[in-house]
Amino acid sequence: MPQKLTKTFIDSIPYPENGQAFYRDSEIKGFGLRVGATSKVYIAESKVNGKTVRVSIGKHGIYTAEQARNQARELLLLMSKGINPNDQVREQKTRSMTLQHVFQDFLVARKALKPRTIYDYKRIMGTYLEDWNDKAIADITKDMIAKRHAELGQNSQAQSNLTMRFLRALFNFAAGQYEDSKGQALIQDNPVKRLSQTRAWYRVERRQTVIKPHELKPWFQAVMNLKNDIKSQNRETIRDYLLLVLFTGLRREEAASMTWDNVDLHAKTLKVTDTKNHLDHTLPLSDFLHDFLQQRKTNAVNDYVFQRSNGQGHITEQRKQMAKVIKESGVTFTIHDLRRTFMTIAESLDISAYAVKRLANHKMNNDITAGYIIADVERLRDPMQKITDYILKCASYKPTATVTDLPRKKSRNSTKSVIDV
């Protein structure tokens, strides 16, 4: 039965052992008190668009009964107009949500992001958007976007575009993630669209750099000259890693994180399971690849094909040794250049377009004919060997027949390979 909520009456109400108890005010319909195991909270309750809406006002002791009653009048008036006060609170909270907070929610929601992608996103947040991390996302305007895009473009147009694409993704995520009780997005506008409306995106040509045929010999020799010494016990591992990428066209992380579980030396295949397009990728091993992987296997110290010299995890940094190769050979390259070189060579050898795509693990969703072709790894063995033979010919490299019989010294800190000839 409703009763006027006063301090004396509320103080006399016992805390329930289980659940909650509700007490209604006799003076104002919709004003009440919710009593839990440890707290007494004033509430306002009414119907908004046919649905019951309950709004917490505050705890008894912090609010007096009269203060809570006055607050309830204002809330009930809003509800009578079809306004849900909870939506207003939620909207205000969202509009004050910082860019960093949205980014953290984004990472939680995007469970399939690869470590490298997360690393790149964090780098953007900490480098190009650092001064915006604590700024409310709703306060980031179109003018701010345009200005920051232009500023970043003075140093790197590609990084400027990349930063804004990432920021666009965060705004799109926020628009879908945060909504009111009616399902309406609380972030209605994506300010990054200003760049499209004004055609301000930089025109960045896609990199087309490859190692040319006449450059393969000096590059190959410089890679082969990477030898372990007291200063570095990772050189030969990085040497073999660079060669694997060139001879398979694998992506940077796919090769670096490869485990022995996915290398079948008997079937002469390797498999990559955590690929960019989320499709398992199995490749045949050419004779050259099989021989040097077999040698690495005899000196393996953990589950990774390219383990770190301390035996913990796989290699993650190759730039120092790459710089040595570039200096010695005069051939400038990136890891992805090796992948492009592999595919360029494949195309130059008149290998079928379907085989090239299979070797590169590119999706063929829009190609109807491709759907009828069985992706049999054995059908790729001959193309794979042709590519290997071409590279070795350009490099003037001739493996010796007795190489696998050479004495070798097993060491935790050194991985000798069959290519040490």
Side-chain angles (χ1 to χ4, degrees):
M1 182 176 180
Q3 181 173 337
K4 183 176 181 179
L5 297 180
T6 63
K7 181 178 184 305
T8 301
F9 173 68
I10 295 172
D11 287 341
S12 68
I13 298 174
Y15 292 103
E17 294 184 3
N18 298 301
Q20 297 178 330
F22 290 86
Y23 297 84
R24 312 295 177 181
D25 185 58
S26 58
E27 287 194 354
I28 300 178
K29 183 179 180 181
F31 176 48
L33 185 77
R34 183 181 69 243
V35 182
T38 59
S39 63
K40 300 174 181 179
V41 179
Y42 294 105
I43 62 171
E45 189 175 73
S46 185
K47 286 187 178 295
V48 177
N49 299 320
K51 295 183 179 180
T52 299
V53 174
R54 181 182 298 159
V55 182
S56 295
I57 297 173
K59 290 184 178 181
H60 173 62
I62 297 178
Y63 280 81
T64 66
E66 196 57 34
Q67 288 173 333
R69 184 175 283 103
N70 290 334
Q71 183 69 28
R73 288 192 180 95
E74 296 179 11
L75 293 171
L76 292 169
L77 178 61
L78 287 175
M79 287 188 271
S80 70
K81 297 178 179 179
I83 300 172
N84 185 341
N86 289 328
D87 285 347
Q88 290 186 322
V89 173
R90 189 181 299 113
E91 181 175 354
Q92 183 178 2
K93 182 179 179 180
T94 298
R95 291 193 174 281
S96 63
M97 192 174 295
T98 65
L99 184 66
Q100 180 65 37
H101 189 124
V102 174
F103 177 52
Q104 294 303 321
D105 286 351
F106 175 82
L107 292 180
V108 172
R110 298 287 298 276
K111 301 178 181 63
L113 288 177
K114 294 184 181 298
R116 178 68 193 189
T117 302
I118 295 175
Y119 170 83
D120 289 338
Y121 287 164
K122 288 182 177 179
R123 179 180 60 82
I124 291 173
M125 287 290 290
T127 304
Y128 305 119
L129 301 175
E130 182 181 14
D131 56 329
W132 287 5
N133 279 199
D134 296 326
K135 185 178 292 295
I137 189 170
D139 292 340
I140 299 176
T141 66
K142 295 179 179 180
D143 287 340
M144 291 169 62
I145 293 292
K147 182 179 179 180
R148 179 59 53 91
H149 183 246
E151 290 173 348
L152 295 177
Q154 294 176 7
N155 293 321
S156 172
Q157 294 182 354
Q159 287 297 324
S160 180
N161 280 355
L162 181 63
T163 298
M164 291 305 149
R165 289 193 185 99
F166 164 68
L167 197 56
R168 180 175 60 189
L170 287 186
F171 272 97
N172 286 338
F173 167 78
Q177 181 73 8
Y178 313 119
E179 57 185 34
D180 60 22
S181 60
K182 299 177 182 178
Q184 299 296 317
L186 294 178
I187 301 296
Q188 295 285 343
D189 193 30
N190 191 327
V192 184
K193 70 182 182 182
R194 164 72 66 83
L195 301 179
S196 297
Q197 293 170 335
T198 59
R199 297 186 178 182
W201 292 101
Y202 292 111
R203 184 181 179 87
V204 180
E205 297 296 333
R206 185 174 180 178
R207 285 177 61 96
Q208 298 294 330
T209 51
V210 298
I211 299 179
K212 299 177 177 63
H214 71 275
E215 295 175 326
L216 281 170
K217 184 174 181 178
W219 182 89
F220 193 91
Q221 187 59 55
V223 171
M224 297 291 280
N225 288 340
L226 292 176
K227 304 290 184 181
N228 289 348
D229 60 17
I230 297 176
K231 292 182 179 180
S232 176
Q233 294 295 316
N234 262 342
R235 288 179 181 174
E236 291 171 17
T237 295
I238 294 173
R239 173 199 64 193
D240 291 356
Y241 164 77
L242 294 176
L243 291 174
L244 183 86
V245 175
L246 176 64
F247 281 87
T248 62
L250 292 181
R251 296 181 175 88
R252 175 196 298 267
E253 291 301 318
E254 293 173 350
S257 61
M258 185 183 302
T259 62
W260 286 114
D261 287 343
N262 289 327
V263 177
D264 190 334
L265 292 173
H266 295 292
K268 298 181 71 171
T269 62
L270 63 79
K271 181 171 69 173
V272 183
T273 56
D274 189 19
T275 65
K276 183 178 181 179
N277 62 17
H278 307 292
L279 296 175
D280 287 356
H281 182 37
T282 302
L283 285 175
L285 295 176
S286 63
D287 294 339
F288 175 79
L289 288 173
H290 175 266
D291 288 346
F292 96 70
L293 284 175
Q294 188 172 51
Q295 189 65 50
R296 287 199 65 81
K297 179 63 174 177
T298 63
N299 295 283
V301 298
N302 66 18
D303 294 334
Y304 292 101
V305 175
F306 302 109
Q307 75 277 351
R308 297 177 64 183
S309 59
N310 62 8
Q312 303 297 317
H314 61 78
I315 57 172
T316 57
E317 181 55 62
Q318 305 92 34
R319 285 179 295 182
K320 186 175 181 180
Q321 302 309 320
M322 288 173 60
K324 290 174 65 68
V325 173
I326 291 171
K327 182 177 180 180
E328 181 178 336
S329 68
V331 180
T332 301
F333 73 100
T334 67
I335 297 296
H336 204 70
D337 287 344
L338 303 183
R339 175 174 168 81
R340 273 192 290 268
T341 300
F342 172 85
M343 289 186 284
T344 300
I345 291 173
E347 291 174 339
S348 73
L349 296 175
D350 293 328
I351 294 172
S352 73
Y354 293 118
V356 173
K357 287 187 176 183
R358 293 295 186 191
L359 289 169
N361 198 29
H362 282 164
K363 284 187 175 181
M364 295 183 281
N365 294 340
N366 297 325
D367 193 322
I368 298 176
T369 307
Y372 293 93
I373 296 178
I374 299 174
D376 184 355
V377 66
E378 291 304 318
R379 298 183 64 180
L380 300 178
R381 193 170 297 281
D382 183 59
M384 194 72 163
Q385 189 63 49
K386 285 183 178 179
I387 296 170
T388 295
D389 292 344
Y390 178 87
I391 295 173
L392 294 178
K393 181 180 178 181
C394 290
S396 298
Y397 176 79
K398 297 179 180 179
T400 63
T402 60
V403 66
T404 56
D405 295 325
L406 290 177
R408 54 184 180 267
K409 181 180 179 182
K410 293 184 68 174
S411 169
R412 178 180 178 82
N413 294 325
S414 176
T415 302
K416 294 293 183 181
S417 168
V418 72
I419 56 180
D420 290 332
V421 296

